Amino acid sequence: MFLAMWLVRVSSGVAKKKKKKKKKSAKKKPEQTDPPRIALSKFYPDGVYPEGEVQPYKDDNIWRTTSEEKRHTEKTMNEDPERTYESIRKAAEVHRQVRQHARKFIRPGMKLIDIAETIEAGTRALVDADGLEGGIAFPTGLNLNHCAAHYTPNPGDTTVLSQGDVLKVDIGVHVRGRICDSAFTMTFEPTYDKLLEAVKAATDTGIREAGIDVRLGELAGLIQETMESYEVEVAGKVYPVKPIENFSGHSIGLYNIHAGKSLMLIKNDDETKMEEGEYFAIETFGTTGRGYCIEEGDTSHYAKIYNAPQVPLRLSSAKSLLKTIENKFGTLAFCRRYLDRVGEKQYLFALNHLVSQGVVQPYPPLCDRRGSMTAQFEHTVLLRPTGKEVVSRGDDY
Ligand code: A75
Ligand code: MN
Ligand code: MN
């Protein structure tokens, strides 16, 4: 394995000189390692994590920023022993540190499975993974080129990243069921820079225009306008950047990646409003292809259906596998690699049975037309009473 895992102390200065002295009284501040392996709780012993980017509400909701009532609501939430916002903020800080490392170490020539495992080892270490108290919220999406969502390598997958690839990295972290769902796109050549720029701008429009009482159908129109104002030239041919029409952002619930509201990428007549206190994954996808994705290839992602009816299972292997799924993942999404690592063997027949019985939902890879290229940017946003908090915002995207 060429992914040697030396835990190297990251030096804060450039070249350390001898004269560097430390005040004896000053407490030693822990430093993160490279690769990151020190639990975040070490850096935040009081359990208070950094706030994300706060954006003010607009138009009819400007008053919220200064409202005594709304400010009081938030003060109460922060004084609550539960510290309502700290779970999502911790998940987001783990996300930022893990992806910062990912952006450094991912390069052409690597196997996707090694990339996934490195990212996941980082998440588990930083969040101090502990059953359903905290850990990976869903399998690491590593979608290449015309494939846009829900692909992660299955055990034995030998796919290698190439120089000309467009790679979407979708990482999920949760703390006590609060899910940070955030994704970015990487390339290793400038060919698709405009595509990435279009999608980043469309996602930022979605974030900027989101707010309490904003209608989802109208917000989709603004995302669409931004995306469609770009084109990308590849080998002398000009392609319009299209939003993927059957993809969407979504509300997020506790241990529930999709809590019921969808934010489409094309203007529509959905008058459903965003509401105070909701968590949203604002994500957009652009493509040089059809603008429509279909299922392609073997399924890697699965999840126990959130409101699954209790069905009597006759197959003992399926019963036992369902117990494992409930214990290890609850209603969070998982993949075949995760079943392997918790010690399940020859589970495919039982897994397919759970799918056919309507207990487990498969999420097959979703891809546009072959030869096209797709890009994605995604952030988790919290609609606080006084402002929008883009919890996953970093200095990268
Ligand atoms: C697998 C389960 C799941 C996911 C990711 C993990 C279910 C619904 C989802 C997602 C997700 O956000 O990727 N959300 S979604 C969707 O249905 O709104 C979003 C983007 C592409 C396809 C579907
Ligand atoms: Mn995602
Ligand atoms: Mn999402």
Side-chain angles (χ1 to χ4, degrees):
M1 280 280 277
F2 65 98
L3 282 170
M5 289 244 305
W6 301 114
L7 295 175
V8 183
R9 287 280 168 181
V10 179
S11 130
S12 46
V14 188
K16 271 187 190 160
K17 288 189 181 159
K18 260 198 222 157
K19 65 175 174 185
K20 184 190 168 198
K21 40 188 163 182
K22 269 186 187 160
K23 274 186 196 155
K24 276 180 193 156
S25 58
K27 256 202 223 157
K28 236 201 306 185
K29 228 190 157 186
E31 292 170 279
Q32 189 51 274
T33 54
D34 186 3
R37 291 294 180 270
I38 303 178
L40 277 201
S41 50
K42 273 258 187 207
F43 302 87
Y44 302 95
D46 53 0
V48 178
Y49 290 88
E51 191 177 51
E53 176 202 37
V54 179
Q55 292 187 14
Y57 290 121
K58 313 201 303 177
D59 309 323
D60 290 350
N61 273 320
I62 292 173
W63 62 273
R64 288 177 167 274
T65 310
T66 51
S67 156
E68 269 314 313
E69 184 207 327
K70 296 299 174 191
R71 288 159 64 101
H72 180 259
T73 310
E74 294 213 329
K75 199 162 159 276
T76 323
M77 292 175 97
N78 282 321
E79 283 163 357
D80 187 311
E82 302 253 311
R83 302 221 43 129
T84 315
Y85 301 144
E86 302 309 333
S87 298
I88 192 65
R89 287 178 186 159
K90 178 178 180 184
E93 182 57 25
V94 170
H95 198 289
R96 275 186 291 273
Q97 293 194 18
V98 168
R99 80 197 194 216
Q100 175 181 300
H101 178 246
R103 283 173 169 291
K104 276 191 304 174
F105 86 80
I106 295 176
R107 53 201 154 65
M110 296 179 81
K111 277 200 215 160
L112 293 189
I113 201 158
D114 294 332
I115 295 173
E117 285 177 355
T118 302
I119 288 171
E120 290 162 2
T123 298
R124 288 189 182 104
L126 299 205
V127 79
D128 215 348
D130 171 23
L132 291 173
E133 276 292 294
I136 294 168
F138 53 77
T140 306
L142 291 176
N143 293 275
L144 290 180
N145 307 330
H146 71 296
C147 291
H150 303 169
Y151 171 90
T152 199
N154 275 331
D157 187 322
T158 58
T159 309
V160 170
L161 184 62
S162 302
Q163 179 80 21
D165 283 344
V166 177
L167 173 69
K168 280 72 63 182
V169 182
D170 198 337
I171 302 172
V173 185
H174 85 92
V175 171
R176 286 173 231 108
R178 279 288 163 224
I179 300 170
C180 176
D181 179 5
S182 178
F184 57 96
T185 302
M186 284 180 83
T187 55
F188 311 93
E189 287 174 353
T191 318
Y192 292 98
D193 284 0
K194 279 287 166 205
L195 175 65
L196 272 61
E197 197 184 315
V199 179
K200 198 182 280 193
T203 296
D204 281 335
T205 295
I207 294 167
R208 192 180 61 247
E209 302 299 328
I212 294 165
D213 295 331
V214 168
R215 290 192 167 85
L216 294 172
E218 285 174 29
L219 183 53
L222 301 173
I223 289 171
Q224 177 181 14
E225 266 178 34
T226 302
M227 188 90 75
E228 289 178 349
S229 70
Y230 288 81
E231 50 190 25
V232 47
E233 189 178 325
V234 183
K237 191 175 165 0
V238 176
Y239 298 82
V241 178
K242 301 178 190 167
I244 298 180
E245 68 175 71
N246 58 331
F247 277 12
S248 60
H250 49 99
S251 56
I252 304 176
L254 264 186
Y255 298 101
N256 189 3
I257 186 68
H258 195 311
K261 293 187 183 178
S262 294
L263 170 57
M264 308 304 289
L265 311 183
I266 304 271
K267 187 175 173 61
N268 62 86
D269 58 15
D270 184 355
E271 294 191 354
T272 309
K273 290 171 172 176
M274 293 179 145
E275 293 172 64
E276 181 176 313
E278 282 183 326
Y279 291 73
F280 267 88
I282 298 189
E283 61 187 303
T284 77
F285 295 79
T287 178
T288 60
R290 268 188 315 239
Y292 190 90
C293 281
I294 56 168
E295 298 175 1
E296 181 186 313
D298 293 347
T299 299
S300 55
H301 291 45
Y302 300 84
K304 188 185 170 220
I305 294 170
Y306 193 78
N307 289 313
Q310 253 207 294
V311 292
L313 297 164
R314 320 282 276 274
L315 196 66
S316 68
S317 61
K319 252 192 237 178
S320 137
L321 181 62
L322 182 58
K323 280 257 169 334
T324 303
I325 291 169
E326 285 170 339
N327 289 334
K328 303 288 182 185
F329 315 113
T331 53
L332 294 171
F334 60 91
C335 60
R336 296 190 198 174
R337 286 186 292 105
Y338 299 175
L339 291 176
D340 281 15
R341 76 182 289 286
V342 300
E344 286 290 327
K345 292 182 170 62
Q346 299 190 321
Y347 48 75
L348 269 187
F349 185 80
L351 184 56
N352 287 329
H353 186 70
L354 292 174
V355 169
S356 74
Q357 292 301 298
V359 182
V360 167
Q361 178 76 43
Y363 293 94
L366 295 165
C367 309
D368 199 329
R369 186 188 337 109
R370 250 173 214 289
S372 65
M373 289 292 181
T374 65
Q376 172 195 23
F377 283 95
E378 174 176 31
H379 275 298
T380 294
V381 176
L382 164 53
L383 299 178
R384 279 167 46 186
T386 58
K388 270 177 281 194
E389 184 171 340
V390 189
V391 292
S392 50
R393 182 73 80 193
D395 54 19
D396 47 356
Y397 70 94

